[in-house]
Amino acid sequence: MGTENENNNWPFIVMLIGRFVFGLGGDILSVCQSTMVSRWFMGKELSLALGIVLSLSWFGNIVCNYTIPPIAEFSSLGIALGVGFCTCIFSLTMATILVIFDKYINKKDKLQGTQEEIAEKVN
C-alpha cells in the first residue's frame, strides 16, 4: 500500500473504520433531514423542499472538495482538517437549534390544536 512497512495495516484499518462511521452518519443524516422536511411541507412544496435539501448536501460536498486541498497546500493538513472540524461543529450547532425550534413548534401546534378542539366543543 505504499508504506515503508508493508506489514503495518493500521492506517488502512483506521481508514476503513472511518469510512464505515462516515457512511452510517450520512445515511442517518439523510433520513433525519427527509423526516423533518416531510413534517413541514406537503404536496408540491415537499418535492421542492426535498430537492433543495439534497442539492445543498451535494453542494457542501463540492465546496469541501474544492476548498480543503488548497487550504492543505497553503498551510498544512492539520489546518485543513481543523477547518473541516469547525464546519462540522457549526453544522451540529445549527442542527441543535433546528431540533429545539422544531420541538417548540410541535408544542405550539399541540396547544393550538387543543384550543381549537375546545372552541369546537363550545360551539
Side-chain angles (χ1 to χ4, degrees):
M1 291 195 318
T3 60
E4 292 147 9
N5 183 0
E6 292 296 329
N7 294 329
N8 186 5
N9 287 333
W10 182 245
F12 183 70
I13 293 170
V14 170
M15 182 201 67
L16 287 178
I17 292 170
R19 205 52 201 149
F20 177 75
V21 170
F22 178 75
L24 286 177
D27 290 342
I28 292 170
L29 180 64
S30 178
V31 169
C32 290
Q33 287 174 335
S34 298
T35 302
M36 285 194 129
V37 168
S38 66
R39 288 168 60 191
W40 291 351
F41 298 98
M42 297 181 134
K44 292 179 183 178
E45 295 172 349
L46 176 61
S47 59
L48 176 65
L50 286 172
I52 290 172
V53 167
L54 286 173
S55 297
L56 285 176
S57 65
W58 280 107
F59 178 72
N61 192 4
I62 291 169
V63 168
C64 177
N65 287 338
Y66 281 107
T67 57
I68 295 300
I71 292 172
E73 288 178 17
F74 179 71
S75 56
S76 69
L77 180 62
I79 298 294
L81 293 175
V83 169
F85 178 75
C86 290
T87 304
C88 287
I89 294 300
F90 176 75
S91 177
L92 177 65
T93 304
M94 293 297 110
T96 304
I97 291 170
L98 179 66
V99 167
I100 292 169
F101 181 71
D102 192 48
K103 285 186 178 185
Y104 171 76
I105 293 299
N106 283 341
K107 285 181 184 178
K108 187 176 177 182
D109 286 346
K110 286 180 184 178
L111 180 63
Q112 187 177 16
T114 305
Q115 290 173 349
E116 288 174 359
E117 290 172 5
I118 291 171
E120 287 177 7
K121 288 179 182 178
V122 170
N123 292 333

